[in-house]
Amino acid sequence: MTRPNETLETLLQQDYEHGFVTDIDTDTLPPGLNEDTIRAISAKKNEPEFMLAWRLKAYEYWRHLKEPHWAHLKYDPIDYQALSYYSAPKLKEGPKNLDEVDPKLIETYNKLGIPLKEQEWLAGVAVDAVFDSISVATTFKDKLNEMGIIFCSFSDAVQNHPDLVQQYLGSVVPHTDNFFASLNAAVFSDGSFVYIPPGVRCPMELSTYFRINARSTGQFERTLIIADKGSYVSYLEGCTAPQRDENQLHAAVVELVALDNAQIKYSTVQNWYPGDENGVGGIYNFVTKRAECRGHHSKISWTQVETGSAITWKYPSVVLKGDYSVGEFYSVALTNHHQQADTGTKMIHSGQHTKSTIIAKGISAGFAQNTYRGLVKVLAHADGAHNYTRCDSLLMGQHCGAHTFPYIESKNSRARIEHEASTSKISEDQLFYLAQRGIDTENAVSMIVNGFCKEVMKTLPMEFAVEARKLLGLSLEGSIG
Amino acid sequence: MLTIKNLEACIEDKAILKGIHLNIKPGEVHAIMGPNGSGKSTLANILAGREEYQITAGSMHYQNVDLAPLTPDERAHLGLFLSFQYPVEIPGVSNLYLLKSALNAKRKHMGLEEIDAIDFLTVVREKMKLLHMDDSYLYRDVNSGFSGGEKKRNEILQLLLLEPSLCILDETDSGLDIDALRIVAEGINLMRNEKRSILLITHYQRLLDYIKPDVVHILSDGKIVAEGDYQLATVLEAEGYEPFLQKKAGD
Ligand SMILES: Nc1ncnc2c1ncn2[C@@H]1O[C@H](COP(=O)(O)OP(=O)(O)OP(=O)(O)O)[C@@H](O)[C@H]1O
Ligand SMILES: [Mg+2]
């Protein structure tokens, strides 16, 4: 760590002074990370023994790891001892109503067409003021309960469904997976848990949106979704409204498991605070998302629209274990100003007759850097494997960059792997044409960019798609003079 | 009324327009003819506000407004419409969406509300019927995979929908088959009235047989070298540009 020894000493002393173990009742743990931190988190959450054991194993592993730097990203070193790893949800902090919220934020919400109630929630208006939306969530939950669907916070799942958690936790993203995933395993605070019983088709889009406490669990989130045989679920994560968070580092883990004939559709719109025009502030978003098509004829689709964060490091992947399973990755990554995104996917073909599709659209403006990094891997016994990949980059202006790193490792000579890529600039001819029809530059840019991303946008669920389309336009405001 | 005085323009130090004078009154139809590369499209683009050209002398006014400081969309809102010689493709954007956005941009400028989706379909289908276009055009991406003639027809559809007061048609007839030419010309003739000005850029007399111009100008090497009535086009058709170019060399 970069912190001088002296400061570290003081910090350690402080920790000692407050004492982790005796301090269980307070809301926030002091900064620092050691075995006691892990024990304190687990104790505060009243976790069963297997959880603590797993966290400790992860921590022990993580301690010996070095932060990875292979991605096409630049950022200052993160001081992991300076972070605080537990903070209980504070229910009544924040503004009392929308009048107390930064008008600029409200303006953006209005442009996106977000209803008032949701604006209150997003802006962090005290929880009792948005009680309505909680009761909406409760009604949904009753309906889901009837069908045997479990949709709850991760903490609730650990308490109420420990067997399922124990069976599936870490079975897709093990605690040894990578630096950020190990850290997450050791210290994650909460997240979402979904289980769809055999043969059940979840009747609504499940969304973190409805979980009021999601806001306070942002930093080290963990999501686990299990679709049992023949079931179907569509899950939405995040929202289009810009979300601010005092935590700079976000290291979430998402694990998806689809058993025989099951289908999971996972859609993300990520719009964390990207920092200002000069690249100051902004969230570091280091996420591990992986899905396993464990059963035959299972199918998992990732769709992501990434417009936020100062730094995005994210590769939603699919391990195609079951024969005839299908993996899909549809991505739009938009970077403006000084944002950096290094994102892509991995498709691991291990079952026979497995199929994967990758459509990645990168848009860069300003001084931003946008990297697609993808791996298509076909194992020796995966006969009949087929991948189709297309990566298109759109550049706006002279100072931004687009990079494409498609890796292919095939151990099966009969696998069909197709790759197409293109890079283009937003064309003056198109802008002039639209302007001649009376359409102003901002709307014209938004139209062209949305057209460029159409194949991906159309895979988003309806209600998400409308907002996401506006979001692409807003994120590029002012990028063409 | 459109007034162009002594307009000179260049691109990357290459002079293209070398002193153009042109007046088009409300209700008039003018035609510009001239050899390839003489500057016809350049003039149209400059009127519409394309930025890559530098105007080095002269002025352009429409309805007594100086066009020079206006952006292309501001000029469009003044009522200027350019039917492009080479309409661009916009992948992923449906024609319907473009037409609706353009119409709503105009309505917004006029202080009107956005048009209702059903009303819009009614209006646009009415115009499409005039041009013998079927519904599939609405759902295809703007000009993507359109044939040359289909693109031109699509330009005129936009013109009929937006009802501009100054219509500049850059070789709309090129690429249209014989029947399509007649249909499109009939569409344009429907737009003729005592307030609307039309500037036709064309190589062929055939279009002018359908849409009779009040004045024909011949542009050569960035200058208007001859002017006359409809008869000028007939002379041109018979004798080609040679006599006009020689006349220019002689004066
Ligand atoms: N963007 C440009 N860059 C360089 N030269 C240009 C550009 N635009 C036009 N020119 C040149 O200006 C001259 C006039 O071109 P313009 O397109 O106006 O001709 P035109 O009269 O419309 O010809 P045509 O009948 O073939 O359509 C040509 O020599 C052309 O090469
Ligand atoms: Mg031309």
Side-chain angles (χ1 to χ4, degrees):
Chain A
M1 297 297 134
T2 52
R3 187 178 278 271
N5 268 338
E6 207 183 357
T7 340
L8 187 62
E9 290 282 276
T10 346
L11 196 81
L12 286 172
Q13 257 163 21
Q14 250 178 29
D15 289 350
Y16 181 75
E17 224 169 62
H18 291 271
F20 279 119
V21 188
T22 54
D23 207 25
I24 286 176
D25 294 335
T26 61
D27 271 352
T28 306
L29 288 180
L33 181 55
N34 56 39
E35 213 181 288
D36 286 339
T37 325
I38 314 286
R39 288 181 189 282
I41 292 171
S42 194
K44 273 174 185 295
K45 301 176 78 62
N46 197 21
E47 289 180 343
E49 189 52 38
F50 82 87
M51 280 300 299
L52 176 62
W54 193 69
R55 287 177 182 276
L56 287 173
K57 231 171 26 181
Y59 172 69
E60 190 50 33
Y61 188 82
W62 178 80
R63 249 169 23 101
H64 300 288
L65 292 178
K66 281 208 167 63
E67 201 176 330
H69 284 287
W70 44 263
H72 201 90
L73 304 169
K74 282 196 193 110
Y75 59 95
D76 289 337
I78 298 167
D79 183 350
Y80 294 94
Q81 294 302 337
L83 300 175
S84 169
Y85 289 88
Y86 183 84
S87 175
K90 289 189 198 76
L91 292 185
K92 287 189 184 172
E93 257 184 15
K96 290 197 179 48
N97 56 50
L98 284 180
D99 296 341
E100 292 179 20
V101 176
D102 180 2
K104 253 185 144 172
L105 203 60
I106 302 289
E107 193 188 314
T108 314
Y109 291 160
N110 287 332
K111 281 189 186 169
L112 286 167
I114 292 172
L116 265 186
K117 278 288 165 230
E118 283 169 26
Q119 291 193 10
E120 288 179 336
W121 175 68
L122 290 165
V125 170
V127 168
D128 50 359
V130 279
F131 188 74
D132 280 3
S133 41
I134 302 182
S135 47
V136 170
T138 320
T139 332
F140 279 144
K141 274 198 182 140
D142 289 345
K143 184 157 183 207
L144 296 175
N145 274 338
E146 276 170 31
M147 306 181 76
I149 294 171
I150 303 168
F151 176 36
C152 61
S153 72
F154 211 103
S155 310
D156 287 353
V158 169
Q159 299 305 321
N160 304 325
H161 309 282
D163 296 350
L164 281 175
V165 173
Q166 193 165 11
Q167 184 182 350
Y168 288 101
L169 175 70
S171 72
V172 184
V173 181
H175 69 278
T176 52
D177 194 77
N178 69 69
F179 183 86
F180 297 110
S182 294
L183 179 62
N184 176 291
V187 304
F188 78 92
S189 41
D190 211 332
S192 305
F193 179 86
V194 176
Y195 172 78
I196 315 287
V200 170
R201 190 181 168 87
C202 185
M204 63 189 79
E205 317 274 355
L206 293 184
S207 163
T208 44
Y209 222 60
F210 292 117
R211 271 191 329 100
I212 211 76
N213 58 348
R215 192 182 35 192
S216 44
T217 61
Q219 192 169 20
F220 296 103
E221 265 193 285
R222 193 157 188 116
T223 302
L224 175 57
I225 299 178
I226 304 137
D228 213 321
K229 292 179 181 171
S231 67
Y232 169 86
V233 62
S234 167
Y235 188 88
L236 313 182
E237 174 208 286
C239 63
T240 50
Q243 282 177 300
R244 280 172 194 263
D245 194 303
E246 65 276 17
N247 299 316
Q248 191 171 38
L249 172 68
H250 279 242
V253 170
V254 177
E255 296 181 274
L256 312 182
V257 182
L259 302 185
D260 295 349
N261 296 302
Q263 249 191 67
I264 302 176
K265 185 174 161 61
Y266 191 105
S267 314
T268 308
V269 172
Q270 185 270 116
N271 191 18
W272 294 105
Y273 181 56
D276 65 15
E277 285 104 84
N278 303 314
V280 179
I283 304 276
Y284 295 178
N285 191 25
F286 300 144
V287 185
T288 305
K289 289 185 162 173
R290 192 174 308 142
E292 197 171 284
C293 283
R294 203 166 282 179
H296 61 80
H297 295 92
S298 54
K299 177 177 175 183
I300 296 180
S301 312
W302 297 102
T303 297
Q304 58 171 21
V305 176
E306 302 279 323
T307 62
S309 296
I311 300 181
T312 299
W313 180 97
K314 183 180 171 190
Y315 315 91
S317 308
V318 185
V319 182
L320 297 152
K321 265 200 186 145
D323 294 344
Y324 296 95
S325 60
V326 176
E328 294 174 335
F329 174 73
Y330 299 102
S331 168
V332 169
L334 184 155
T335 48
N336 197 359
H337 303 307
H338 290 267
Q339 280 177 281
Q340 308 172 60
D342 193 305
T343 182
T345 186
K346 289 183 212 162
M347 293 289 175
I348 316 291
H349 293 256
S350 114
Q352 298 197 341
H353 305 287
T354 47
K355 216 178 126 185
S356 62
T357 304
I358 300 170
I359 310 279
K361 306 275 182 177
I363 301 142
S364 325
F367 293 88
Q369 295 295 325
N370 203 322
T371 301
Y372 168 82
R373 190 184 299 277
L375 170 66
V376 176
K377 190 170 178 174
V378 181
L379 304 185
H381 48 272
D383 285 338
H386 181 194
N387 163 268
Y388 173 74
T389 299
R390 217 178 67 240
C391 304
D392 297 319
S393 307
L394 185 67
L395 299 175
M396 305 173 68
Q398 309 300 317
H399 306 291
C400 53
H403 318 271
T404 306
F405 302 106
Y407 303 102
I408 296 169
E409 286 174 30
S410 180
K411 301 239 160 59
N412 185 308
S413 57
R414 277 167 304 166
R416 260 172 69 206
I417 298 173
E418 301 166 65
H419 180 87
E420 290 173 23
S422 77
T423 301
S424 51
K425 293 207 166 203
I426 195 154
S427 111
E428 286 296 325
D429 288 338
Q430 291 174 335
L431 287 171
F432 180 60
Y433 186 80
L434 294 174
Q436 209 308 298
R437 299 310 186 236
I439 296 165
D440 64 38
T441 312
E442 264 163 27
N443 280 317
V445 168
S446 168
M447 248 165 116
I448 294 168
V449 167
N450 273 297
F452 172 76
C453 301
K454 187 184 190 178
E455 280 166 283
V456 173
M457 303 301 269
K458 75 179 184 203
T459 68
L460 283 173
M462 259 309 270
E463 65 261 47
F464 235 27
V466 177
E467 280 182 23
R469 227 173 282 148
K470 291 187 198 153
L471 175 63
L472 288 185
L474 284 180
S475 308
L476 287 168
E477 258 181 18
S479 57
I480 284 199
Chain B
M1 141 141 163
L2 177 71
T3 312
I4 302 175
K5 280 189 194 144
N6 189 36
L7 187 67
E8 291 180 18
C10 66
I11 187 156
E12 290 154 7
D13 297 334
K14 180 187 172 201
I16 301 176
L17 302 186
K18 302 172 180 171
I20 304 257
H21 294 271
L22 192 66
N23 288 309
I24 307 182
K25 297 200 186 79
E28 285 183 350
V29 175
H30 287 226
I32 294 187
M33 305 181 80
N36 295 135
S38 55
K40 304 181 295 297
S41 296
T42 302
L43 175 63
N45 279 313
I46 287 176
L47 282 169
R50 179 108 202 187
E51 265 162 26
E52 54 186 318
Y53 303 97
Q54 283 105 54
I55 295 171
T56 46
S59 66
M60 312 170 278
H61 287 80
Y62 181 57
Q63 291 171 346
N64 296 319
V65 179
D66 183 6
L67 292 179
L70 302 185
T71 59
D73 50 319
E74 288 167 338
R75 297 183 198 199
H77 292 312
L78 259 190
L80 186 152
F81 181 97
L82 171 59
S83 167
F84 285 80
Q85 182 175 3
Y86 304 110
V88 302
E89 305 188 357
I90 310 180
V93 176
S94 76
N95 216 14
L96 179 84
Y97 189 69
L98 168 71
L99 291 164
K100 205 165 152 199
S101 304
L103 185 60
N104 279 330
K106 179 185 164 178
R107 291 175 65 94
K108 189 174 168 197
H109 180 78
M110 292 165 60
L112 297 173
E113 275 188 22
E114 291 206 347
I115 189 165
D116 169 85
I118 310 276
D119 291 349
F120 172 73
L121 271 181
T122 314
V123 174
V124 78
R125 285 202 173 115
E126 191 183 295
K127 310 288 183 195
M128 287 172 73
K129 210 169 152 196
L130 289 175
L131 296 171
H132 298 214
M133 294 167 86
D134 64 57
D135 248 31
S136 68
Y137 279 95
L138 288 177
Y139 305 104
R140 289 167 70 181
D141 291 355
V142 177
N143 295 324
S144 289
F146 282 30
S147 75
E150 286 171 341
K151 284 182 185 169
K152 297 300 176 66
R153 223 187 269 225
N154 201 32
E155 294 289 287
I156 301 308
L157 174 63
Q158 298 179 48
L159 181 132
L160 294 186
L161 188 72
L162 295 174
E163 303 181 321
S165 57
L166 174 60
C167 313
I168 304 168
L169 306 178
D170 191 355
E171 293 198 28
T172 299
D173 50 341
S174 305
L176 291 177
D177 66 46
I178 294 168
D179 293 335
L181 179 64
R182 183 179 42 78
I183 292 163
V184 164
E186 279 166 4
I188 296 167
N189 275 329
L190 280 177
M191 299 285 287
R192 268 181 100 155
N193 65 25
E194 70 282 4
K195 292 206 192 103
R196 187 165 283 133
S197 309
I198 298 177
L199 179 60
L200 301 170
I201 295 171
T202 182
H203 287 294
Y204 307 107
Q205 189 198 351
R206 189 188 289 275
L207 177 71
L208 306 183
D209 289 341
Y210 288 113
I211 311 169
K212 285 265 156 43
D214 300 293
V215 186
V216 175
H217 311 263
I218 294 175
L219 187 69
S220 168
D221 191 23
K223 276 190 202 158
I224 291 174
V225 293
E227 274 170 355
D229 61 9
Y230 166 76
Q231 289 308 317
L232 190 55
T234 325
V235 175
L236 206 57
E237 188 81 18
E239 300 179 28
Y241 287 112
E242 201 56 28
F244 299 99
L245 303 188
Q246 275 166 5
K247 190 166 128 211
K248 183 195 134 208
D251 66 21

